[in-house]
Structure formats: C-alpha cells, structure tokens
Amino acid sequence: MTPEDPSSNRFRILSPLEFWGKTCLSLVLTLGDFVRFFVAILAGLLRGMDRFGRREMLSQMFDLGTLSIPVVMLTGFFIGAVLVIEAYPQFHALGLASRLGSVTVLSVVKQIGPVLTGVMLAGRVGGAMTAELGTMRVTEQIEALRSMAADPVRTLAVPRVLACLVMTPILTVFSDILGIFGGWLIAVHVQGINNDQFWHFARVGVDIYTINTGLIKALFFGLAIGAIACYKGFRCGNGAQGVGRACTEAFVSSFIVILILNLVLALLLTNIYVMVWPNQPPIL
Amino acid sequence: MIQPTTDTLAQPIIRFADVHKRFGSLVVLDALSLDIPADRTTVIIGPSGAGKSVLLKHIVGLLQPDSGNVYFHQQRINHLSERQLEPIRKRIGFLFQMGALFDSMTVGENIAFPLRHQGIKSERNIQQVIGEKLAVVGLSGSEKKMPADLSGGQKKRVALARAIAMDPEVVLYDEPTTGLDPIRADVINELILKLKEELKVTGIVVTHDMASAFKVADQIVMLLNGKIIAQGTPQQIKTMENDDVRHFIEGRANAADLKALHRL
C-alpha cells in the first residue's frame, strides 16, 4: 500500500478513528520509507562516488555552499547585532554590561550560527535541490539512470548529501564570524563597552569544545537537510504541482528536524561536557 | 481474442507470462502473456493509457508485476534486486517517451554517460562512439550543446543515440517518432530497420504512428485495457476485421466518441 492511494476519495469526510488510523499509517509508511532511503545514502557514502558523482558533488558545493556565503554572512551579522541591542539594557541594569562579550559569542557559536545557517540552507536546498531532483523524476531522468544500470541514490543523492554535510559547518563558521562582528560593533561602538573587556569575556566564555558543539550541530543539520531534500525530490508527485509540493515539504520537514536535532544535540553535548569536565560549569 | 500468427522460428528473447499490474484501482496490465522474438521488431500499438509504456518498463525491471513473471533469455527477472538487474540493463537500451536527457550535461556527456558508467576509460574511444552515434541520428557536431537548447525532436534523437551507445542487443523505443516531422520520423524508422538488419538488434517499439508501425514491424501487438486484442504480422493486422483494430489503424473515431461530440 502506498501512503496516498489514488483510489481513495479525497473529499469524503472521514470518521475520527478512520482519520487517525490513516494519518498514523501514512506517517509510519513515510518514516519507514525514509529510513530505508537514508540507510541507502549511508551505504552509498561508505562505498564512495564515481567520477560523475564527484563532479556532481563539486557543482552542488558551489551552488548551495559558496553561493550561500553572502546571505549567511548577512543574516549572521544582523542577528548578532540585534542580539546585543536587545540584551544590553538587561545586562546594563545588572551592572554586567561588560559581560556581553561572552553572551554574544556563546549564543552565536552554539545556537545562532548553526541554526540560522541550517534554516537558510534548508530554504535554499528545499528550493533548488528538491526542485531539481523532483523535475528529474517527473521527466523520467531518474528512471533513465536506473535503466542504464546506474544507482540513482549513489549517483544523485550521495553527492548532494555529502555537499550539504561538508558545506553546512563551513557556512556556520562564516555566520559565526559575522555574528560576532555584528555583536562587537554594536557593543563597542554603539553601547560604549570597553573593547578589551568585550574580548576578554568572549575568550573566557568560549572554549574549543563550545565551538565544536556548534560545528557538530551543523554537521547533523547538513546531513538532515541533504537527506530530506533528496528524499522529497525522489518521491515527488507528478507534474509542476508535485514538484512545488515536494519543495515546500522538504523545507518544512528540514526546519522541524533542525529544531528537534538542535534540542537533542544541545542536551547531549552539554551532558557530555559535564561528564568529561565535572568541575567546570557548562556555561559561564 | 484474434488468433495470433507469429514467426515461430525466432526464439523468444523476452517473455511475459500472465502478468498483472495495477496502480491503485486502475488495472494497467490484465493477465498479459506475450513472447517477444529475438532479432525481430515487435511493435506495440494501442490507445493512450492502454499499458504500453508500463509493459516496456517491466522489461528492464523499472516496474515489477503484481503477479505473473517476466523472463529475459529464459531467466526470470521480476524478482531481482536493483543490483542483480544491472547486467541485464546493460544489454538493453531504453529510449524514453520524452527523451529523459540529463539536463545538467551536454549532448556529448549524455551519450558518454552509459559508457563511462560501465567503466570505459579511454576518452578517445568514448569520443569516437559519441561522434558515430550522433552521425547515425543526424546530429553530428552538436556534442557541446545543452539539452535545453534542442528542439523536442532533436532531444529524442540524442536520447536514441544514448540508448544505442552501448550497442545493446535489445532496444526499447517508447514513441520514437512522436514529435518528429515526417521525414525525420522516417529516418528513425530506417534506423530501427538498420539496427535490426545489421546488428541483429531486437526492437520493441511502442507507437501511435501507424505508418511507422507498418514499416518497421515484424510483429504487431495491439493492447486495449491491459489486454492483447490482436497480434500478428503487419499484413495480418491490416486485414483484420475487429472493429477496435480497424478504428485504431485507420485513425477513425468510434461511434461512442462521435455520439458524445454530437451532444455539443
């Protein structure tokens, strides 16, 4: 049975039990199908790529990675700046305005940088990658690959997922740098916080583990964004409407998964920090 | 059903045995049994939605039957995994209805794809094959063009060049002449004949173009609602009395369609 049975009458009013039954069944079927697809991608990642795959990966890294750098930097800068503007009055009232350095850098590196990059990329990837793969499916290009004894997951999905996996942490670094710069600009040049104090607390508040926390998150976000975008493209419905719907679904699903992963990884990585360095507080 | 009379000398290379296929509630293939003789061209005709393209996709395992079996050289192939199907797919060329050229690659790269994928390393050999196959379809010198810059007919010819790049023993043509001008369509017909006569290629052609069907076919099979309603040589099909067959090959609307039109 498929999640969307064309024989079912779309306009029939379902009883609540029927509705929940159908919803749960469709959810379980989609999830199972996605897990199988994801396992095929992981297997493909381990098997490596052929020449065509490597070329696809480089072109995707450029399209989705390099071309995203300006927009990721711009959003990073503005969010970093706004963060300081909003936080300053509270910290100033407590007499802790000089501590804004650690708050800014910590928020940017651990949360804002990776999450913002993930969301920006989910939008771009949902729009570009899912639409491209969806169109390929609709115009029988994916079937043509299979008919030529090529594995579409290995040829198309693996290079794209790998491109997302590599580029998300790199873009996060750009977002982090501009976020910190935006925060610093407002804190030091608008709110008049001492430059040395800003950087002193920034250094104290952030260690290498914290920076890695952000980058590990970015790695998982990249994997999720790439896999979801490819899955939605490969399973896209017919016609222009099918492609449009697949793109929207890819973005919404990636966005939700990013938020869930962010929560799970924040809990996990903070607990690991406490386990490894029990005498140090996780946040200054 | 009208009694089939086919060339019994030729060995079947592909065999459908009681194949059923449905999409949701729509029955596409209904207990279909068919032998495709080797080194001959079988043309499958029938109205749109009769299950012709679905039939082709079963031969390379792009679709699996709900029940029944598909055989290639006496080997059952409908239960094979994607990886097990690879050696069979390498022996079959598939010309898709819309061409299905890879948009991100040039014409040359599209034709080279099956060669490179199958591990042919020598760039000189690859370029030679690209040149030869493009010449065959009358598009020499368009290696560097992108599919988006080609007309519908040109795309189909490039797709045909790609389908025959590996010199397959079977070529599946899904509407090879649709969208081509009559002269170019006849070139494709000649090409199908040439591949059969010179390279002993088994051809399976799905088409609505009766001129093409009568020209290239050794055997014609007519499908209607997932069932074979007529099978025979072009000459036998031409002289059949069955109404559905006559309407189709003469391109005439049937009584029900005309009645619906009169209500307008």
Side-chain angles (χ1 to χ4, degrees):
Chain A
M1 179 179 161
T2 51
E4 276 184 16
D5 190 346
S7 65
S8 65
N9 187 342
R10 289 172 64 188
F11 302 106
R12 197 161 58 89
I13 297 168
L14 303 174
S15 73
L17 191 67
E18 221 180 340
F19 171 78
W20 285 110
K22 268 188 193 294
T23 309
C24 291
L25 206 58
S26 141
L27 202 70
V28 170
L29 283 167
T30 310
L31 198 67
D33 191 33
F34 177 74
V35 169
R36 283 180 59 180
F37 185 79
F38 190 66
V39 169
I41 288 178
L42 292 183
L45 284 171
L46 294 177
R47 272 176 71 196
M49 284 175 295
D50 53 10
R51 198 168 99 171
F52 174 76
R54 279 193 292 276
R55 210 188 68 169
E56 281 282 295
M57 187 186 75
L58 288 176
S59 99
Q60 292 295 328
M61 281 169 82
F62 180 76
D63 284 351
L64 304 168
T66 314
L67 295 181
S68 299
I69 290 175
V71 70
V72 162
M73 285 170 79
L74 200 70
T75 41
F77 172 80
F78 280 104
I79 298 289
V82 168
L83 178 74
V84 173
I85 292 171
E86 297 290 356
Y88 178 78
Q90 308 295 321
F91 278 76
H92 184 68
L94 294 168
L96 291 170
S98 58
R99 297 267 178 144
L100 269 173
S102 59
V103 173
T104 310
V105 176
L106 209 63
S107 318
V108 166
V109 166
K110 280 185 93 169
Q111 293 293 333
I112 296 173
V115 173
L116 209 62
T117 307
V119 172
M120 292 300 295
L121 216 61
R124 269 190 80 108
V125 170
M129 212 184 253
T130 311
E132 188 190 7
L133 293 175
T135 309
M136 286 184 82
R137 203 201 79 76
V138 171
T139 56
E140 295 183 315
Q141 291 177 53
I142 291 182
E143 284 195 326
L145 272 175
R146 287 173 62 204
S147 80
M148 284 185 263
D151 174 5
V153 171
R154 193 168 170 224
T155 318
L156 298 173
V158 169
R160 282 168 173 76
V161 172
L162 206 56
C164 288
L165 200 64
V166 173
M167 290 315 286
T168 317
I170 294 175
L171 288 170
T172 300
V173 171
F174 280 96
S175 174
D176 284 355
I177 291 170
L178 262 287
I180 295 168
F181 174 72
W184 168 82
L185 200 71
I186 298 293
V188 175
H189 292 281
V190 177
Q191 313 288 20
I193 293 166
N194 181 285
N195 185 44
D196 292 340
Q197 274 187 336
F198 181 90
W199 289 116
H200 168 73
F201 284 109
R203 260 198 307 277
V204 173
V206 180
D207 56 10
I208 197 77
Y209 184 85
T210 314
I211 295 171
N212 284 337
T213 302
L215 296 182
I216 290 169
K217 279 183 181 178
L219 211 61
F220 278 91
F221 295 166
L223 186 66
I225 294 166
I228 291 170
C230 289
Y231 176 75
K232 290 291 179 188
F234 270 58
R235 299 287 187 271
C236 151
N238 287 332
Q241 196 188 24
V243 176
R245 190 174 294 165
C247 291
T248 314
E249 284 176 4
F251 174 67
V252 174
S253 313
S254 304
F255 188 63
I256 293 169
V257 169
I258 286 172
L259 295 180
I260 295 170
L261 274 177
N262 190 39
L263 177 76
V264 172
L265 288 170
L267 275 172
L268 193 74
L269 293 168
T270 311
N271 282 335
I272 290 175
Y273 188 91
V274 175
M275 261 161 42
V276 179
W277 295 281
N279 297 324
Q280 281 186 322
I283 298 165
L284 191 81
Chain B
M1 186 186 122
I2 291 153
Q3 198 56 41
T5 317
T6 51
D7 186 349
T8 47
L9 292 173
Q11 278 294 314
I13 187 168
I14 293 155
R15 165 168 283 179
F16 287 84
D18 197 27
V19 169
H20 291 255
K21 181 73 182 175
R22 58 197 297 171
F23 295 121
S25 59
L26 182 73
V27 177
V28 186
L29 298 179
D30 190 3
L32 185 127
S33 293
L34 174 67
D35 282 358
I36 309 281
D39 312 335
R40 300 282 193 276
T41 302
T42 300
V43 172
I44 297 165
I45 57 172
S48 302
K52 306 186 297 295
S53 297
V54 170
L55 184 82
L56 281 193
K57 287 180 182 173
H58 276 80
I59 298 171
V60 275
L62 292 176
L63 291 172
Q64 264 80 36
D66 297 333
S67 68
N69 291 311
V70 183
Y71 298 88
F72 179 71
H73 279 295
Q74 279 86 49
Q75 181 193 2
R76 187 157 79 97
I77 58 163
N78 52 289
H79 65 297
L80 299 181
S81 69
E82 288 285 304
R83 196 166 293 177
Q84 288 169 322
L85 279 166
E86 280 179 16
I88 291 158
R89 287 174 172 169
K90 284 175 186 172
R91 295 161 70 181
I92 302 175
F94 199 135
L95 169 65
F96 283 84
Q97 205 169 345
M98 306 303 232
L101 294 177
F102 304 128
D103 300 321
S104 59
M105 292 185 214
T106 63
V107 165
E109 287 168 336
N110 261 287
I111 300 170
F113 183 86
L115 305 166
R116 290 192 177 129
H117 181 70
Q118 250 115 104
I120 296 174
K121 294 264 186 276
S122 158
E123 204 47 41
R124 232 178 65 187
N125 283 356
I126 290 175
Q127 291 309 322
Q128 195 188 337
V129 173
I130 295 172
E132 276 172 20
K133 304 299 177 194
L134 277 177
V136 166
V137 296
L139 283 171
S140 290
S142 36
E143 288 91 335
K144 300 268 184 282
K145 284 190 183 161
M146 295 304 285
D149 301 328
L150 302 176
S151 71
Q154 287 172 324
K155 276 185 198 164
K156 194 158 261 181
R157 281 144 66 197
V158 173
L160 183 53
R162 184 179 70 180
I164 58 172
M166 289 293 292
D167 298 326
E169 57 182 293
V170 179
V171 179
L172 312 177
Y173 308 86
D174 198 350
E175 300 196 12
T177 55
T178 309
L180 300 185
D181 64 72
I183 299 168
R184 197 52 71 186
D186 199 49
V187 173
I188 299 289
N189 293 337
E190 291 293 341
L191 179 69
I192 295 170
L193 289 171
K194 188 179 150 120
L195 287 171
K196 179 185 76 173
E197 277 151 22
E198 292 180 11
L199 300 169
K200 300 272 173 231
V201 168
T202 304
I204 303 168
V205 184
V206 160
T207 190
H208 292 126
D209 175 354
M210 289 316 298
S212 168
F214 287 130
K215 180 157 187 176
V216 302
D218 296 301
Q219 170 183 229
I220 294 182
V221 175
M222 180 159 171
L223 285 189
L224 189 68
N225 301 326
K227 285 187 161 114
I228 296 174
I229 61 155
Q231 186 174 3
T233 62
Q235 205 48 48
Q236 288 169 329
I237 293 287
K238 272 181 191 169
T239 53
M240 267 178 195
E241 296 294 323
N242 180 299
D243 271 353
D244 289 320
V245 177
R246 294 240 60 83
H247 281 297
F248 192 83
I249 62 175
E250 289 164 13
R252 280 191 290 118
N254 62 27
D257 292 329
L258 290 173
K259 204 172 158 191
L261 274 178
H262 285 310
R263 283 197 210 110
L264 281 178

